[in-house]
Amino acid sequence: MDINYYSQSEMHRASVENLPDEVLEFILGFLPPYKDLQNCMSVCKRWCNCSQNVLRKTSMKLVKAVAEFNILWKNVSSVDMIPTITKRFSHAACILGNNMYIFGGCTTNATSFNDLWRFDLSRRQWVRPLATGTYPVPKAYTTMVDYKDCLIVFGGWTYPSLSQYYQSVSLFNDIHFYCIKTNKWILINATNSPPPMAGHSACIKDDEMVVFGGLAMSPTQNFQMHCSNDVWVLDLITYNWRKQPTTKPRPSPRYAQSLIRLDDDRLMLLGGVQTLHNRFVYSDCWILTMKGPTWTWKEIAVKNKEWASPNIWCNPACRVGDKVVSLSRSRNAWNSAKPLVTSAVRLSNFTRPEGAPISVRVEQSLQKPLDRDHNINGRRGVLPRQRQVGNEPVPGPSNELNENQEPRFASDSSHLNGAGPSSDSKRSSFDLKKENALRHTKNKNKGMKIVRQLQEANKYRMAAFACETPGNNTPPENDLINQRQIAHLENLENQPEAADNPQQRPPAVKKIKRNTLAVHVLDISTVVDGNSMNYVSWLCPRLGEMSGAPEELVMYSLVKGNGELIMFGGVHNDISILNYSEPQNVYSNSLHFITPPRDII
């Protein structure tokens, strides 16, 4: 009886307070690092310290995981949540408190949105606040930044429906404040406003909003759309705009770039695109120092460009500590021998009607990704020889022909047989039969020629691990395999074509190549935390696909939460390989979370 009473009293005295701090922090680490963990801070002083340590260690683990490419993907589809947001891309996203806000966006069928959605990061649930006030117009390619307890939406564009043939793209320079406490939209009447713009970047500096670049429509340019590299500053107290003077040289005009805040006085510009005139993709890096009456631009060298994010212009970059993360297609999925990451890469000329809207150009560029350049001039081989008809010139070994040398034509083939151009005699039937016999012999020996080439190549293949060949004259095993394969191909070529029989023919299975997103990391530790070096460098990415990585998307949003990266929306880059039956499946409204692996005690 006394033993039972003693054991029960001991059990009553044991509580969570008897756990070590390491165990308590491990348990609190399973809570979402948002409202639930903040509520734990109000329990007692010990819990407050442990909760703060969990938040601090979670952020540190994310930076370490990103630097080591040791991350975990967690995907949440729209069917798992009710209500849910509409599929879209080119929207604006922002983190404020324990929520992620999404505004606007569009689809390629001329549909734009002006709805505002809130994603509760604690409950992992979508909420659409039914706000009052003056709503913004439906638009995409806008910016949304947080300022105190408000969200600031500026700029953007919208294009008419497909039935409105004679209407052009509309750009805006309106400023809307969304007050979270009152759940109300407020239209701000600012003075000295900049020209309407879209695809620009915005950032908050104290009580000012700094805007750079974008597609603008200025009256000085006869209201023609052009790319800009101007810096505009909005005073959030007086609502007065000013065009900020900057030093030269400065970045080239561009849009769809990423503007990353380094500290209170510096911003970093990364990437961008120019598709109006020169059609360049940029992967350069600039730092804007916001001090004095004239702000200073400084270009920073970018090292290890072969590991850079391929589509930095249509994939946003997000800062994580002393690293910048960009999600793009894995290098293993790119067909080009060299990555397209030079300072300014000229885009291929896509076929499009003259004067087409920028949205149409973006759609066509999505259908033909930048990495799929044509196979020309021996870059990955040579152009296939075309059959000569009439007076077409005979192609040479390359395009480097002497300008003074006149090309030979098929009609002058009699010169090769020793006959002059003035000869009236024609080739006899015997010559034609002889030529056909030689051509047949040449085609017959083509297989053995390939075998000899493979034999020669096998001599140097894996030479460091090769063993000595035996003294007999038997051909190697690889050569026999090559001969059998070539003989099998020749037999298939010589067989007559069988009649089409749909009942006997098995259904063809079309393999769809799956391009997944990979993490690309830019190390900016050389320009932050008091360092002032003149370079940043891309880190060597992880080879192979990461488990759980989604299919390749572009024009999505990427924001940083507490110890995690949150990706939402987007449009599939290569529409031709997806074989979708419905256009709506091209877009996405799924959420993807990037988190570090959990600790194990």
Side-chain angles (χ1 to χ4, degrees), residues 89 108 141 279 313 347-354 356-370 555 573-575:
F89 67 94
T108 54
Y141 300 93
R279 298 149 63 109
W313 68 274
L347 298 177
S348 58
N349 294 325
F350 301 129
T351 58
R352 64 176 187 275
E354 289 294 332
I358 304 301
S359 57
V360 178
R361 304 184 185 184
V362 172
E363 296 168 23
Q364 295 182 357
S365 64
L366 292 176
Q367 297 175 4
K368 297 182 179 181
L370 305 180
M555 298 183 182
N573 189 14
D574 196 350
I575 301 177

Side-chain angles (χ1 to χ4, degrees), residues 408 412-425 427 431:
R408 295 179 299 173
D412 297 337
S413 59
S414 58
H415 296 187
L416 301 176
N417 298 329
S422 59
S423 176
D424 297 333
S425 61
R427 291 185 299 177
D431 294 336

